[in-house]
Amino acid sequence: MRTTHVLVPPSTSSPEVRRRQRRAVAALVVTLIALVIALVLVVSNGSRSLAEIAGGSGQPVVFDPVGDTGSVLTSEHGYIAEGEGLSVFDEQAPAVTRLNPELLDALRRAATDAGADGVDFEINSGWRSPEYQSFLLRAAVDDYGSEAEAARWVATAQTSAHVSGDAVDIGPLTSTDWLAQHGARYGLCQIYGNESWHYELRPDAVDAGCPPAYSDPTEDPRMHG
């Protein structure tokens, strides 16, 4: 007589089965989290957040920003990568060397004196090509949802003081604090109340002090010229 063996599956309530189920659920959760993170990176990769547009610290990573012509923006456009602020004494980067010579001279004199106080200047954004400026404006519109709101932070390529080489965004916070106290003696003034990092040269400030800052760029007559 043949004996038939029937395989009976283990009870789903057994400890071993429960352990396997927990491991499967955990693996699925990890996979889903990884997919969500990847999706966020892909979506955010095409534009800059406010922090980066503003030139402040804590900027997000941006991979190969693409300008108006479809070309990748490089240092030749004045692009400075996140976390790679430049010395005001840099002699190679266009973001520094294409600044107005008088502005650059004032910055270097101020940086020398600030250094004696233990404060180091970094240029987070200086001269920018029109293509780079247009890229930043498009990103600002995406971030803020309207051209009107974006205009409070980013100028057009036709009106930007960065494009003309007449403005710098300075960091870190210790540097802007130092400039807020001492910048006028070099003619270096904060121009906009909402941009503590944005400085331009105002030679009259050496004797008369810096003029009152505009609340934001939309109050600046140059932006409507």
Side-chain angles (χ1 to χ4, degrees), residues 201-217:
L201 183 66
R202 296 291 184 271
D204 292 343
V206 174
D207 296 319
C210 290
Y214 299 111
S215 295
D216 62 58

Side-chain angles (χ1 to χ4, degrees), residues 128 133 137 147-167 191-192 194-195 198 200 202 214-225:
R128 301 171 186 158
Q133 188 67 29
L137 182 57
E147 293 183 0
E149 185 63 21
R152 296 185 60 244
W153 300 95
V154 183
T156 66
Q158 292 72 36
T159 60
S160 172
H162 283 280
V163 173
S164 62
D166 294 314
I191 304 302
Y192 306 120
N194 66 333
E195 296 186 358
H198 180 106
E200 298 181 23
R202 296 291 184 271
Y214 299 111
S215 295
D216 62 58
T218 61
E219 294 185 357
D220 188 341
R222 298 175 300 172
M223 301 299 108
H224 309 285

Side-chain angles (χ1 to χ4, degrees), residues 31-197:
T31 301
L32 288 175
I33 291 174
L35 288 173
V36 170
I37 292 174
L39 179 60
V40 169
L41 288 174
V42 170
V43 171
S44 63
N45 206 26
S47 64
R48 293 183 155 195
S49 74
L50 166 61
E52 185 170 17
I53 290 167
S57 60
Q59 299 172 331
V61 176
V62 174
F63 300 93
D64 296 338
V66 178
D68 287 342
T69 63
S71 61
V72 174
L73 296 174
T74 68
S75 62
E76 289 303 309
H77 298 88
Y79 175 70
I80 301 174
E82 176 202 5
E84 297 183 9
L86 302 175
S87 166
V88 300
F89 300 101
D90 191 293
E91 296 288 356
Q92 302 295 325
V96 178
T97 61
R98 294 181 187 176
L99 288 171
N100 179 309
E102 294 180 352
L103 170 60
L104 185 56
D105 176 69
L107 278 170
R108 288 175 170 174
R109 287 187 288 109
T112 298
D113 292 344
D117 291 337
V119 176
D120 293 325
F121 285 10
E122 287 187 355
I123 294 180
N124 292 324
S125 192
W127 170 84
R128 301 171 186 158
S129 70
E131 184 178 35
Y132 184 17
Q133 188 67 29
S134 295
F135 167 80
L136 292 177
L137 182 57
R138 288 198 312 276
V141 173
D142 289 342
D143 280 351
Y144 289 108
S146 72
E147 293 183 0
E149 185 63 21
R152 296 185 60 244
W153 300 95
V154 183
T156 66
Q158 292 72 36
T159 60
S160 172
H162 283 280
V163 173
S164 62
D166 294 314
V168 290
D169 292 346
I170 294 292
L173 184 59
T174 52
S175 298
T176 55
D177 285 347
W178 192 94
L179 281 173
Q181 298 177 55
H182 307 290
R185 75 175 66 160
Y186 308 92
L188 297 171
C189 297
Q190 178 185 339
I191 304 302
Y192 306 120
N194 66 333
E195 296 186 358
S196 61
W197 49 84

